[in-house]
Amino acid sequence: MRIDYDPQAMDSRAFYKLLTAVVVPRPIAWVSTLAADGETANLAPHSFFTVACTDPPVVQFTSVGRKDSLRNAEATGEFVVNFAPEPLLDQINATATDFPEDLGEFDAVGIEREPSLRVKPPRVAASPVALECRLHSTLCLGNSTVVFGTVVHAAVRADTVVDGHPEIGRLRPLSRLGKNEWGTMGEIKELARIPYQDWQQQG
């Protein structure tokens, strides 16, 4: 037996809560931007985030409503996606506070920044990975805007790299779940894909 939900018959907020409860876990883009004045540094988590393309490398995050991250990316053409690790949970959550537009989250929350290499918005110094992006394009869908950024530089902390590759156990990613729930890494299972030729032989 299933319970049926009709998005056309439901309040949009109620269906939003349903979507975010079942589309889980969601990786977090901790997006840093600079305001058009070049001074105010904004930092906010966005849990609608993924890779959009691999060649060229493009990532995407969604702004539900016209938030500072979106406005700043449109105004300056640049943003940084900072990795959201478990030890920084409290700071990440704090940057979701609806601070006034002229109050940057780096300063309000007391988060140390470091300069980026290829773009002007700063990186989060304590974050193990930073993807420096130039705005590729945006796509408006109803009350939301998908922001696409071409990755022009990736900076990965050396102590998270094992045999030339970032190690998941050292990155310790956070994810967003439903309601006010957050996910941590949990159990890791490794399972390789099966080539079709091997699949036929198994039969």
Side-chain angles (χ1 to χ4, degrees), residues 20-175:
T20 55
V22 298
V23 182
V24 290
R26 298 186 306 281
I28 301 164
W30 203 12
V31 179
S32 54
T33 56
L34 277 179
D37 62 12
E39 298 293 332
T40 305
N42 177 264
L43 181 64
H46 295 266
S47 71
F48 296 171
F49 166 61
T50 191
V51 176
C53 182
T54 61
D55 187 13
V58 177
V59 294
Q60 68 180 72
F61 72 91
T62 297
S63 175
V64 180
R66 292 197 56 81
K67 297 179 179 176
D68 291 340
S69 300
L70 169 61
R71 287 193 293 266
N72 293 347
E74 288 178 330
T76 67
E78 296 179 335
F79 62 91
V80 178
V81 174
N82 301 275
F83 188 90
E86 184 179 345
L88 300 183
L89 171 59
D90 289 341
Q91 293 95 320
I92 294 165
N93 185 58
T95 60
T97 300
D98 57 342
F99 293 109
E101 187 176 343
D102 60 349
L103 178 58
E105 286 78 2
F106 279 96
D107 295 332
V109 180
I111 295 174
E112 183 181 357
R113 67 187 83 183
E114 67 181 22
S116 296
L117 185 67
R118 301 282 302 278
V119 298
K120 291 181 180 178
R123 306 190 297 223
V124 174
S127 175
V129 181
L131 303 177
E132 300 179 12
C133 301
R134 291 206 175 99
L135 183 65
H136 177 282
S137 57
T138 59
L139 176 63
C140 184
L141 298 169
N143 71 343
S144 303
T145 303
V146 187
V147 181
F148 297 93
T150 302
V151 180
V152 295
H153 182 71
V156 182
R157 203 168 64 204
D159 63 2
T160 66
V161 177
V162 177
D163 297 329
H165 194 273
E167 172 61 39
I168 191 70
R170 299 187 180 190
L171 291 173
R172 296 174 63 188
L174 283 167
S175 62

